[in-house]
Amino acid sequence: MEAQQGSPMSMLFIFVLFGLIFYFMIYRPQAKRNKAHKQLMAELAKGTEVLTSGGIIGKITKIGAESDYVVLALNDSTEITIKRDFIVSVLPKGSLKSL
């Protein structure tokens, strides 16, 4: 039996198909997540209640425009400093009081 060789057009079609699969399955969703996270970081302000990637819920008490760190108040007497990137979502106002 002879080994069949594919035509150059079929190889090009396969590469294009894999490129499209890569774009729609990997690159595009990641780009959307990055855009949403940048928007979230831009919305942060003093008094915003947030959830961190570690599961900590707190209210922002200090935030610098150029600083990569924010200070969260966990309760009336406890504050912690965390990196901005660890904030995963903004909570509705009053979330801390309802806990």
Side-chain angles (χ1 to χ4, degrees):
M1 288 196 165
E2 292 180 25
Q4 294 182 353
Q5 290 185 353
S7 69
M9 284 302 256
S10 66
M11 289 293 278
L12 180 63
F13 177 73
I14 290 172
F15 283 129
V16 169
L17 184 65
F18 278 124
L20 288 173
I21 290 171
F22 175 78
Y23 176 76
F24 284 107
M25 298 293 287
I26 298 171
Y27 179 75
R28 191 168 178 225
Q30 184 64 35
K32 281 186 177 182
R33 280 191 293 273
N34 286 344
K35 183 179 178 183
H37 189 70
K38 282 182 183 179
Q39 183 180 358
L40 174 73
M41 293 297 110
E43 293 174 356
L44 295 180
K46 186 176 177 180
T48 305
E49 295 177 6
V50 295
L51 172 68
T52 68
S53 59
I56 297 173
I57 297 174
K59 183 183 284 190
I60 296 176
T61 56
K62 294 179 188 172
I63 186 168
E66 295 180 11
S67 176
D68 286 341
Y69 294 91
V70 297
V71 178
L72 292 181
L74 305 180
N75 56 31
D76 293 336
S77 61
T78 308
E79 288 187 341
I80 60 170
T81 303
I82 64 162
K83 209 163 160 53
R84 285 177 97 130
D85 297 336
F86 290 109
I87 295 174
V88 293
S89 69
V90 174
L91 301 174
K93 288 206 179 273
S95 295
L96 285 175
K97 292 181 181 178
S98 66
L99 296 176

